[in-house]
Amino acid sequence: MNDARTFRAPGRVNLIGEHTDYNLGFVLPIALNLDTRVRTTPASDGMLRLHAAAHNETRTWPTAEIASLTPHSHWSDYVIGVAQQLLARGFGIPPLNLHIESTVPEGAGLSSSAALEVASALALLQGRALDRLEIARLCQHAESEFVGMPCGIMDQYCSLFGCDHAALRIDCRSLEAEAVPLPDSVAIIAVNSMVKHSLGQSAYRTRVAECAEACRAAGVTSLRDATLDQVRDNKRARHVVTENQRVQDFVEAARGGDAARMGGLFVESHRSMRDDYEISCEEIDFLVDTAVGLPGCFGARMTGGGFGGCTVNLVAPEAAPAFTEAIRRSYREAMGRDPQIFVCVPAPGADEIGGSFF
Ligand code: GLA
């Protein structure tokens, strides 16, 4: 059909800087070569119709009802949340059929939700101009206000601003980013544990609240401004303050091509998440401990919100095939299930496929 349009938005893997975004600190994700695609066609019946191929489900509403919909703990919440944010900014929702397909695994810590939000925002905008940073913000608001997950801005920002040759160091306070090219001496491999413990969502909220409390105790407006001396006795805040420093150190190591130092920082970051932020789990610790003992692996850590999902591994490219096989075999033997393994290649940010959206 001639009126069909397709929009894509990538998932992301965060290299380092975990739980620092909502503390207005630093993060270093790459947008992934895995994405969510939304194909749109005009709907002649005045409806907004969503079809998610992965769930083989369709949801339909008259466009006039979208403003008053409430969340249902359903995948469609991400799209409706975005639609309501667009409405609040004066962008009407046209009658459309949205066909949604994704290669970003759900519940893996690779931001399938942000990819869906951003691809939906572009699809619903249908080419109407809106600043990319504003799209990132409205998608974040959709997730925190409609879906009910008080996330930071990293995932949506990365999905919109990703670079095809580099990681993105984002300053989550100024919302400025710089591209950080990665040395050829490292391949980035994500290993999906295939578990997502249900504790994750409530623990995320608790951590956000614990950080706010730590700010009050230290007399700062965000942990970005706290020094290690101010928070030494608070495990949660200590993770955030040291993690911010690790992002800076990692960027310096990456620029200097120092793969060993980059890997060392991965391991320190993981220990800090495991022991101070307490967001790891048995399966993830197993993957990290196994990975760091394998030839050619410089370092490994959990990536994403926590309690399951993926590890991210820095591996010498020539060692990658043997690494992949060994980690797969060990995990299967220990945990009785196959991990999913992705060789991650930085991808560009969201856009219209075959079109000129921006
Ligand atoms: C989730 C959130 C992000 C970020 C990470 C942890 O992915 O959506 O905003 O807080 O967890 O770094």
Side-chain angles (χ1 to χ4, degrees):
M1 193 205 255
N2 279 344
D3 295 333
R5 303 177 78 162
T6 303
F7 303 86
R8 64 165 272 284
R12 62 100 189 94
V13 63
N14 189 22
L15 297 185
I16 197 160
E18 221 66 77
H19 288 264
T20 45
D21 61 351
Y22 54 83
N23 288 300
L24 307 187
F26 303 101
V27 292
L28 189 75
I30 60 172
L32 280 180
N33 50 330
L34 301 169
D35 56 36
T36 295
R37 295 183 180 211
V38 177
R39 183 171 177 274
T40 67
T41 51
S44 50
D45 55 2
M47 299 290 202
L48 178 68
R49 184 171 294 104
L50 312 180
H51 178 80
H55 300 271
N56 195 23
E57 275 181 356
T58 304
R59 290 284 187 275
T60 306
W61 301 270
T63 51
E65 286 178 17
I66 290 168
S68 56
L69 295 175
T70 52
H72 285 88
S73 302
H74 188 259
W75 59 263
S76 59
D77 288 353
Y78 294 98
V79 187
I80 297 303
V82 166
Q84 289 191 349
Q85 290 288 330
L86 286 170
L87 283 170
R89 287 164 177 75
F91 292 95
I93 303 299
L96 285 171
N97 304 306
L98 269 61
H99 179 88
I100 303 162
E101 287 189 23
S102 189
T103 52
V104 190
E106 286 183 24
L110 300 181
S111 270
S112 62
S113 42
L116 176 55
E117 289 154 8
V118 172
S120 300
L122 300 193
L124 295 172
L125 279 165
Q126 288 286 296
R128 287 171 290 177
L130 184 57
D131 181 66
R132 276 183 182 251
L133 186 54
E134 193 52 26
I135 300 176
R137 281 205 187 96
L138 78 85
C139 290
Q140 180 200 12
H141 290 161
E143 188 153 344
S144 55
E145 288 162 28
F146 195 77
V147 178
M149 168 77 177
C151 63
I153 200 164
M154 164 170 66
D155 305 347
Q156 295 82 3
Y157 191 110
C158 182
S159 187
L160 279 149
F161 289 95
C163 294
D164 62 0
H165 62 284
L168 218 52
R169 174 193 172 277
I170 307 167
D171 178 332
C172 296
R173 180 154 65 191
S174 71
L175 296 179
E176 283 163 358
E178 61 170 325
V180 179
L182 299 168
D184 292 338
S185 53
V186 297
I188 298 162
I189 300 182
V191 180
N192 186 358
S193 66
M194 311 302 282
V195 299
K196 189 77 195 166
H197 296 290
S198 53
L199 184 61
Q201 280 229 346
S202 62
Y204 192 96
R205 279 191 205 94
T206 310
R207 295 297 178 277
V208 171
E210 286 170 330
C211 288
E213 180 51 40
C215 284
R216 280 191 285 276
V220 291
T221 47
S222 82
L223 288 179
R224 161 75 173 267
D225 295 321
T227 63
L228 189 52
D229 277 342
Q230 281 175 300
V231 299
R232 209 173 282 281
D233 298 330
N234 180 319
K235 291 205 281 191
R236 306 294 190 242
R238 196 164 66 204
H239 163 74
V240 175
V241 171
T242 57
E243 184 77 352
N244 273 329
Q245 185 60 46
R246 281 187 288 272
V247 177
Q248 309 292 52
D249 294 348
F250 187 93
V251 168
E252 204 182 293
R255 291 200 191 286
D258 188 346
R261 175 80 180 124
M262 291 162 72
L265 288 160
F266 262 36
V267 173
E268 283 175 33
S269 170
H270 186 73
R271 284 203 196 107
S272 178
M273 288 190 287
R274 185 191 64 193
D275 302 335
D276 279 358
Y277 222 60
E278 295 179 290
I279 52 169
S280 190
C281 61
E282 187 194 348
E283 295 86 349
I284 290 287
D285 289 340
F286 177 85
L287 284 173
V288 168
D289 293 344
T290 306
V292 295
L294 291 172
C297 179
F298 298 109
R301 59 181 288 281
M302 187 186 69
T303 185
F307 301 97
C310 282
T311 61
V312 56
N313 303 264
L314 290 181
V315 181
E318 62 279 10
F323 172 87
T324 302
E325 263 330 292
I327 200 103
R328 193 191 300 284
R329 195 175 47 246
S330 303
Y331 193 67
R332 189 192 298 136
E333 280 168 13
M335 300 292 164
R337 62 174 92 201
D338 271 322
Q340 244 177 340
I341 301 181
F342 304 97
V343 177
C344 302
V345 179
D351 54 13
E352 180 166 8
I353 296 174
S356 54
F357 181 57
F358 293 101

